[in-house]
Amino acid sequence: MGVPARSLARAADRERGSAAWRLRTQSLRLRFALLMSAICLAVGLNVATTAWGLFFLERQYAEPMRATETALSLLSATKRAVGEQHNLLGEGHSEAAIGPRAATAGRDDEQRAVQIRGLSTASGATAARLTAATNLDSVLGRGVPRYVAQRLDMAAREVDAALEGDLAARGRALAMLFEIHERIEETEARIVENADRASVHAGRMRNRVLVSVGVTLAITMLAGVLAVQLVRRWILRPIERLRLATERFAAGDLDYRVSIPGRDEVAKLGEEFNAMASTILAMQSERLDRERLAAFGAVTRRIVHNIKSPLGGIRMLSELAQQDAATNASREHLARIAGTVDRLDSWLRRLLDVTRPADIQPVELPAGRWLEGAVEALRPTAEGGDIELRVDASAGPEDAEFDPAHLEQAVVALVSNAIEATPAGGTVRVTAWSDGNGRWGVDVADGGPGVSENAAAELFEPYFTTKPGGSGIGLAMARKVARDHGGDAWLRDAGEGRGAVFAIELPCVAAASPATSSPAEA
């Protein structure tokens, strides 16, 4: 039975996965070690090739030198035999000798003739060896061995004739032997000169090869050292920083960021890591905000349910008291109580919207006049605590787009906190402003002791409060309303010991969808 194709595919996938896992488990140091091993192997091959070149050069130089040695040896033997023949043949006559004459005392003519014929035979044998040698042409030149052999053969015939008593043959033999001797000497001189040149050239080539090898090794070593330093600087150190960053990040330090200079792939990886960390931090913050708002919503619904019934009773009693009021002033105060109860009931209904996405319905209104009306409901509270409430809306925009009902909740939350933080005899200032670039806002300054540095970072978190009996929902609600409008709310000035300043910042024209801005951008 054949193996099913699906089983073969799964086996191939497992094999590829195993290979990929082995590749992933290799450390950078191991990969770098493999890289350096490859470099060392290349250097070794380079050195081996150079050594082989030196050996080849030596061989190419040694073979001609051995041929030169053989040629010089054979030529020297031939020349010696020819010289001795010439001297013996010219003994007793006026011909000049070739070199020193050999001692011939006690030898007769017959013995001398035998010796001359022996030398002739020896020189002929040496010439035959020169002609037979095939590796001497590069040293002697083509035709030289044959020429020497031919001249020796001719000289041998003339020598034989001279030994038979032919005086003319004797003169020709002496001339030929002298010519052969001189030609051999010229050839020897040329061979020695060529050998010297070859030796000098070989020495230069050897030195050049050695210098080339030394330079190559030095450059390779420097390249290796430089490669180690660069890999350590460009790869190992950035990777170590990334590893440390991942450890810090895995340990919960989401604010940690890695810094890798440059624009290469590792630096881009560091930037992507930082972007990922920022995204995860933002997602975690959003998740925590949703969880807090969910818990805040559950508590808020219970609070609203428990407050609405007493408020209904207060309003009913105020209406009944208006009917029995004896003066217009009393009826007016009771009407203000009923209006304040209605406004508070409206705030309670809208307070529930904080726990779910707000349905912001912006309308175009004069921001200054609206701000004065929104804060006016808190003036009795401020006057009851002997606190002066000042509103300056002159610097605000003439018209802006916002949801007055939701934004009133945010402003009232900030002003209420400011009144609570300001001691008797103090002042709360509410100021509208516009930056002329399409943004406007409201600053609320109290006369209290300010906000400590530790508390400033958590002021707008749900349920965080520094007031005894506080709920910690007012500032969280104010920030949510501001962000739903495309703005933000923050602590502009902690003012430790001299009063804090809280700010709401909004766009003059409502955005198509809520956006989040930071204090630093305002």
Side-chain angles (χ1 to χ4, degrees), residues 11 25 98 110 132 143 171 192 315 335 369 408 518 522:
T25 54
I98 298 175
E110 184 177 353
V192 171
R315 194 181 193 291
R369 191 189 312 166
E408 182 179 349
S518 66

Side-chain angles (χ1 to χ4, degrees), residues 340-354:
T340 302
V341 170
D342 291 339
R343 187 182 293 271
L344 181 57
D345 183 70
S346 176
W347 289 348
L348 291 174
R349 288 197 304 272
R350 291 172 185 143
L351 184 62
L352 297 175
D353 295 337
V354 177

Side-chain angles (χ1 to χ4, degrees), residues 434-446:
S434 175
D435 62 3
N437 294 320
R439 312 291 288 185
W440 74 286
V442 178
D443 286 354
V444 179
D446 60 45

Side-chain angles (χ1 to χ4, degrees), residues 244-261:
L244 177 61
T246 55
E247 288 183 356
R248 296 279 296 272
F249 199 73
D253 188 1
L254 302 184
D255 292 324
Y256 185 81
R257 296 294 181 269
V258 62
S259 175
I260 300 178

Side-chain angles (χ1 to χ4, degrees), residues 347 351 370-371 374-375 378 381-382 387-391 405-422 427-433 440-448 451 459-461 464 467 471-483 487-493 499-506:
W347 289 348
L351 184 62
W370 168 85
L371 180 61
V375 177
L378 296 174
T381 303
I387 297 171
E388 182 180 3
L389 181 60
R390 295 183 181 179
V391 181
H406 284 85
L407 188 57
E408 182 179 349
Q409 287 183 329
V411 172
V412 167
L414 294 184
V415 176
S416 297
N417 282 349
I419 293 174
E420 293 178 3
T422 303
T427 302
V428 174
R429 294 178 175 83
V430 182
T431 306
W433 53 268
W440 74 286
V442 178
D443 286 354
V444 179
D446 60 45
V451 180
L459 275 179
F460 290 90
E461 300 296 334
F464 178 82
K467 298 180 297 183
S471 63
I473 61 175
L475 293 179
M477 179 191 66
R479 171 169 282 182
K480 183 177 184 301
V481 170
R483 289 182 173 177
D488 205 350
W490 69 92
L491 177 65
R492 184 185 296 278
D493 186 0
V501 180
F502 289 83
I504 291 180
E505 177 256 354
L506 304 168

Side-chain angles (χ1 to χ4, degrees), residues 23-82:
L23 182 61
R24 288 195 299 268
T25 54
Q26 290 180 354
S27 66
L28 284 176
R29 290 183 174 84
L30 177 58
R31 295 179 186 178
F32 180 67
L34 294 176
L35 177 62
M36 291 304 298
S37 299
I39 294 175
C40 293
L41 178 61
V43 173
L45 291 176
N46 186 19
V47 173
T49 303
T50 305
W52 177 84
L54 288 173
F55 174 75
F56 178 77
L57 180 64
E58 187 70 20
R59 186 179 63 181
Q60 291 297 104
Y61 171 70
E63 289 182 358
M65 290 302 295
R66 284 194 294 269
T68 299
E69 183 180 358
T70 301
L72 289 175
S73 176
L74 293 175
L75 289 174
S76 178
T78 303
K79 184 180 71 171
R80 189 181 307 110
V82 168

